[in-house]
Amino acid sequence: MELRVLGASGGVTRAGATTAFLLDQRVLLDGGTGVGSLDLAEMERIDALLLTHAHLDHIAGAALMLASVIDRRTTPLTIYAPVEVLDTLKAHLFNWQIWPDFSVLPTEEQPVLRYRPILPAERFEIEDLSIEAVPLSHTVPSFAYLIEREGRGFCFCGDTGPTETLWQRINERGDIEQLFIELSYPAEEAEIAKVSGHYDLTGLAQDLKKLEQPLTVQLMHAKPGYEQRLIAAVRENPVLQTLKVQHCEIEQRIDVL
Ligand SMILES: [Zn+2]
Ligand SMILES: [Zn+2]
């Protein structure tokens, strides 16, 4: 199964769009500005948005996409996220002030958007994918998703700084082959990373030592301007040198399941 990188940056520039990954053409993992690279037909095929958290860089593209496809879709797009994330979307985004409430448009009976709250520790399904949410450590509720199909799994993380439960669950499960995780800042920017709830290189390297099995680490969410420094620093880091590490690139297609 193919995971297409639509956006993997921690900010917008001409060269970069924010977090949005498309799994098998139908499931969107976060809905950042990368969604804007899709054409209408591709947008119409997306049935599910699995959302890690409610920050703008992870939802802006999906919110705008709803307006683009509203008169073309016959079935709703479902946003899957824990209740606290959905509550934030309802109160602060789809509230008729910032953007329309698409859960009652074009009609209340057949809306273009619906919500599917995920309960704590619930294992849920989207088509043939079996998914588990794990809480992370960010400035707002943020989650990782462990996504499994036919015994193979990968983990897609929302924004986070140093965290605990994630590493326990990956080690307990043993089926996670790839980890998509943020590295926003180089080690020299540890203070900004800390106050903004993100990983800097030192923090991520320390946490990756908790992994008990080898897996491929796919890095994303570099803040604009730090990309080249991060690539060089990752290459020289003794912990990351022991792992297979890649940097997600826009329009890259990654085999995941
Ligand atoms: Zn972010
Ligand atoms: Zn965030």
Side-chain angles (χ1 to χ4, degrees):
M1 198 172 269
E2 180 183 89
L3 186 62
R4 178 175 163 196
V5 184
L6 306 177
S9 174
V12 281
T13 61
R14 186 172 170 171
T18 65
T19 314
F21 287 63
L22 187 57
L23 182 61
D24 199 31
Q25 300 184 42
R26 62 209 165 107
V27 180
L28 196 55
L29 309 182
D30 276 349
T33 65
V35 172
S37 67
L38 297 173
D39 63 31
L40 273 177
E42 291 171 321
M43 289 179 178
E44 268 180 87
R45 275 200 287 272
I46 299 171
D47 290 324
L49 165 59
L50 191 54
L51 191 61
T52 63
H53 68 303
H55 271 160
L56 190 61
D57 56 325
H58 299 252
I59 59 174
L64 294 168
M65 176 179 77
L66 286 169
S68 300
V69 297
I70 186 165
D71 52 357
R72 303 172 66 99
R73 289 194 71 99
T74 51
T75 56
L77 172 90
T78 303
I79 302 184
Y80 294 77
V83 176
E84 51 268 59
V85 176
L86 296 181
D87 284 350
T88 301
L89 291 185
K90 291 176 196 172
H92 301 293
L93 175 62
F94 297 116
N95 61 3
W96 295 106
Q97 305 288 316
I98 300 292
W99 209 227
D101 178 2
F102 284 102
S103 70
V104 297
L105 292 175
T107 66
E108 213 164 333
E109 295 72 37
Q110 287 191 304
V112 71
L113 169 66
R114 69 178 176 193
Y115 301 106
R116 164 63 163 87
I118 301 165
L119 303 172
E122 178 193 7
R123 193 142 171 174
F124 60 100
E125 262 110 54
I126 300 177
E127 295 182 25
D128 57 350
L129 307 169
S130 173
I131 306 172
E132 174 188 352
V134 178
L136 298 169
S137 308
H138 193 37
T139 53
V140 295
S142 181
F143 295 83
Y145 292 109
L146 280 70
I147 302 170
E148 181 261 335
R149 181 175 165 262
E150 294 173 1
R152 296 183 65 193
F154 73 99
C155 175
F156 184 81
C157 296
D159 292 357
T160 186
T163 193
E164 277 304 325
T165 316
L166 175 70
W167 312 107
Q168 283 168 20
R169 280 305 292 144
I170 290 175
N171 289 335
E172 280 164 11
R173 286 183 47 138
D175 62 347
I176 302 300
E177 299 171 1
Q178 294 194 67
L179 170 67
F180 292 78
I181 194 161
E182 71 142 279
L183 175 58
S184 293
Y185 292 103
E188 304 78 50
E189 304 296 342
E191 202 47 46
I192 307 177
K194 193 174 172 191
V195 296
S196 57
H198 290 295
Y199 272 120
D200 75 292
L201 181 58
T202 308
L204 181 62
Q206 263 167 13
D207 268 7
L208 287 173
K209 283 198 267 187
K210 297 173 186 167
L211 286 172
E212 291 167 3
Q213 69 250 357
L215 43 70
T216 302
V217 179
Q218 302 276 5
L219 296 174
M220 56 185 182
H221 209 274
K223 288 289 172 181
Y226 290 120
E227 295 90 346
Q228 295 311 314
R229 259 167 84 182
L230 282 170
I231 289 170
V234 162
R235 210 180 292 131
E236 287 160 20
N237 183 277
V239 176
L240 288 152
Q241 278 172 353
T242 65
L243 295 161
K244 188 175 177 200
V245 180
Q246 293 173 349
H247 299 264
C248 295
E249 301 274 352
I250 203 160
E251 274 308 324
Q252 189 186 359
R253 289 160 197 257
I254 302 167
D255 180 40
V256 283
L257 293 175

